[in-house]
């Protein structure tokens, strides 16, 4: 992680690609989160006392923060000076005179888009927005070629002439999406996966053996290629989903208490804590750590996969679940002032709208919002 990206994050000046890289680093470990928090908490105090001459020297590489820990935060501020120029925040100074700060009116918060990061079996990470359509992204041995098709979808092609016996059985890739990112992929067996924001899927570069196993965190929509001799299995936490070929959606975010599986076509078998249930089209299963059973109910399947079609669609959705969607898509934080437990929403809007337009739709249900930077305060 380049230090300048941390400072740009504090100043909210990261580009979408830089934000993808930052999110991956930030969520990689608790140590990274603490490191960022320490810089952020001391940032404002240090900027008032920084020696600008030393700051510029630090920018020129004459002050190394790794060698001089006492200069760590001074270097943070020094780096920020260069980054602040052109962002609408400028610091003008003369010797022994007061610093004057000019801040532009905050801009509206834009929606997310197509962003993803591919981690290869050797650990190399590829920011997919840097890849052009129809490019070859990488090779996994002699057996598998990873490309981006004309629509920007990742595809895996198995070389028919390769010696499969030499294939690495432990060759796994991971596709991840940052806050405000979605991405699509076609696996080696032809299965199509639509990955929602703040999600990841781990899968083998080619499916050997008697099953097709993938691991999911977050949310994804699957169109599984039919193969009656090799079941397709999705693991998410304590839940396992087994299918032969079908269309279904899995909503399994770690920070939400319920894992939801919604079936649109075919049938799936849900296994959870030694219990098993079969879903029919139009049904959704709910499982949670607080329950040992698998709850099944009829749902509006269009609402469950609205995100895949570029929409927010709410079917009697509670306010907090709605705001979690906005947090992931717009990169915001939400604070609640008062009891909102009984607030429900129906209807929806398009995901390509700026945040202010979406909030106007939600305000029709007599909820008030106050925007402070990237924090949204909710009043009942």
């Amino acid at each position: 992680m380049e230090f300048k990206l941390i400072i740009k994050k504090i100043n909210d000046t990261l580009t979408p690609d830089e934000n993808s890289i930052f999110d991956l680093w930030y969520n990689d470990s608790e140590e990274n989160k603490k490191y960022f928090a320490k810089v952020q908490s001391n940032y404002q105090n240090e900027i008032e006392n920084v020696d600008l001459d030393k700051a510029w020297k630090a920018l020129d590489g004459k002050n190394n923060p790794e060698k001089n820990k006492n200069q760590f935060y001074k270097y943070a501020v020094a780096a920020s000076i260069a980054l602040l120029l052109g962002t609408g925040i400028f610091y003008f100074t003369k010797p022994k005179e007061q610093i004057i700060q000019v801040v532009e009116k905050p801009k509206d918060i834009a929606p997310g888009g197509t962003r993803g990061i591919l981690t290869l079996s050797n650990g190399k990470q590829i920011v997919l927005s840097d890849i052009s359509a129809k490019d070859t992204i990488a090779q996994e041995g002699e057996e598998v070629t990873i490309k981006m098709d004309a629509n920007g979808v990742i595809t895996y092609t198995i070389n028919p002439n390769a010696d499969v016996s030499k294939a690495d059985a432990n060759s796994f890739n991971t596709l991840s999406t940052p806050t405000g990112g979605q991405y699509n992929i076609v696996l080696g067996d032809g299965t199509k996966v639509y990955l929602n924001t703040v999600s990841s899927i781990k899968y083998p570069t080619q499916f050997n053996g008697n099953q097709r196993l993938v691991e999911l965190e977050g949310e994804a929509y699957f169109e599984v290629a039919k193969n009656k001799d090799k079941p397709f299995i999705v693991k998410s936490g304590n839940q396992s989903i087994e299918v032969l070929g079908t269309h279904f959606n899995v909503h399994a975010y770690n920070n939400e208490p319920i894992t939801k599986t919604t079936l649109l076509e075919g049938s799936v078998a849900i296994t959870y804590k030694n219990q098993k249930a079969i879903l029919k089209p139009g049904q959704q299963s709910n499982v949670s750590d607080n329950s040992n059973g698998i709850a099944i109910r009829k749902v509006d399947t269009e609402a469950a996969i609205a995100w895949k079609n570029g929409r927010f669609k709410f079917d009697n959705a509670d306010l907090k679940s709605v705001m979690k969607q906005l947090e992931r898509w717009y990169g915001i934080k939400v604070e609640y002032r008062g009891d909102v437990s009984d607030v429900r929403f129906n209807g929806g809007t398009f995901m390509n709208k700026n945040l202010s337009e979406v909030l106007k739709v939600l305000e029709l249900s007599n909820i008030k919002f106050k925007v402070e930077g990237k924090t949204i305060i909710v009043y009942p």
Side-chain angles (χ1 to χ4, degrees), residues 154-181:
I154 303 173
T155 62
Y156 282 71
T157 303
I158 310 300
N159 182 357
N161 299 319
D163 185 353
V164 178
S165 64
K166 294 182 180 180
D168 184 359
N170 296 314
S171 181
F172 290 86
N173 286 181
T174 300
L175 175 63
S176 305
T177 52
T179 300

Side-chain angles (χ1 to χ4, degrees), residues 278-349:
I278 305 297
L279 287 187
K280 297 178 181 179
Q283 290 183 333
Q284 180 184 89
S285 68
N286 287 188
V287 301
S288 68
D289 290 337
N290 297 326
S291 174
N292 293 322
I294 301 174
I296 298 177
R297 63 190 183 107
K298 289 283 289 185
V299 295
D300 178 359
T301 56
E302 287 187 11
I305 66 166
W307 66 269
K308 170 184 168 289
N309 300 318
R311 290 181 60 87
F312 295 113
K313 190 173 189 297
F314 310 123
D315 178 22
N316 195 34
D318 66 274
L319 175 62
K320 289 191 175 181
S321 68
V322 170
M323 297 310 294
K324 281 185 180 295
Q325 293 184 53
L326 301 190
E327 284 181 317
R328 289 190 287 261
W329 189 236
Y330 291 97
I332 58 174
K333 294 182 180 179
V334 178
E335 295 180 3
Y336 298 93
R337 305 286 170 83
D339 183 14
V340 295
S341 58
D342 61 344
V343 179
R344 296 276 167 174
F345 292 97
N346 288 285
T349 185

